[in-house]
Amino acid sequence: MKTTLFTKAIVRRPAQSLVNGLTDHPELGHPDYALALRQHDAYIAALERCGLAVEVLPAWEEHPDSCFVEDVAVCTRKFALVTRPGAASRAGEIAGIQAVLARYFRTIEHIEAPGTLEGGDVMMVGDSFYIGLSARTNADGAAQFIAHLARHGYKGQTVTMPPTLHLKTGTSYMEDGILLVDQAFARYQEFSGFDRIHVVPEETYAANCLRVNDFVIVPSGHPETLGALQAKGLATIQLDMSEYRKIDGGLSCLSLRF
Ligand code: CIR
């Protein structure tokens, strides 16, 4: 059976300044820019293979983390949201995103100060949204988003966060009731109703996989998670994400899908 969740995606080419992106893992070293570009090419090709028309925004040198376009917006079926990133160095990344979103969405909502919210903290499960209260997303930002959701007939609920960058760093929804959870989220009551795949500690990075229509995109080098997804009958595409991992970026971070 064909599953159509999304038809379009927006990505932004990595800038050379990517090598100075924010990271909690400096021990992994700086990204290799040429390799990051090749990995980005493969990422776009994978989204196209999943059936998406991909709009590619140009690299933006002033903003090292700007290829992580997921954090500056949230796209729902009824409206788009321009966020207000909690990382000071990323605040300027929202400039221009409204104009891009306006090509696809009639209604665009915003997070206003003092609220902060980054898209990496938002997990969509059908008409329900989970919002991680992280160092990047505060209670005010989450409350504003939940109010927007309610106005559009959706539900939103906050999730208390372990010390993890974003909610989707540690858990991601694979559709069909299946949820990937790393150890930090394993005991969360709010997720107990899902068919959970527990990501083993050595593969924590693979808690951020991306379901796009008939495929799940999985970071390469995570055989247990790959096997667990395939055992659920899901078709997989593996992508090498080594250069983005160095600056805490995962598969979902690199695109907006709608
Ligand atoms: C940051 O720290 O903001 C970037 N280096 C990584 C952003 C990853 N985005 C995401 O998880 N949605």
Side-chain angles (χ1 to χ4, degrees), residues 101-186:
L101 294 170
R103 293 203 278 276
Y104 303 102
F105 292 89
R106 240 181 296 177
T107 307
I108 300 176
E109 311 283 9
H110 294 263
I111 299 295
E112 310 289 350
T116 63
L117 183 140
E118 296 189 0
D121 281 318
V122 176
M123 183 168 75
M124 180 174 79
V125 178
D127 289 349
S128 295
F129 292 75
Y130 293 88
I131 303 133
L133 296 176
S134 69
R136 304 288 185 87
T137 295
N138 65 19
D140 189 88
Q144 289 182 41
F145 181 45
I146 290 169
H148 290 308
L149 288 169
R151 268 206 314 284
H152 291 280
Y154 292 134
K155 276 194 293 205
Q157 73 176 79
T158 57
V159 177
T160 311
M161 290 280 290
T164 296
L165 174 59
H166 286 127
L167 177 66
K168 282 184 293 191
T169 313
T171 180
S172 42
Y173 187 54
M174 299 291 99
E175 304 297 324
D176 306 317
I178 302 166
L179 189 71
L180 277 172
V181 283
D182 75 2
Q183 278 204 311
F185 288 101

Side-chain angles (χ1 to χ4, degrees), residues 193-216:
F194 289 97
D195 177 7
R196 284 169 293 176
I197 295 177
H198 293 275
V199 175
V200 296
E202 315 81 70
E203 296 194 6
T204 295
Y205 181 69
N208 183 271
C209 287
L210 196 52
R211 173 77 190 260
V212 185
N213 301 339
D214 293 329
F215 294 94
V216 177

Side-chain angles (χ1 to χ4, degrees), residues 12 60 62-63 66 72 85 87-97:
R12 183 181 289 286
W60 195 0
E62 272 171 56
H63 292 289
S66 54
V72 297
S89 71
R90 302 198 59 187
E93 288 179 32
I94 60 169
I97 195 68

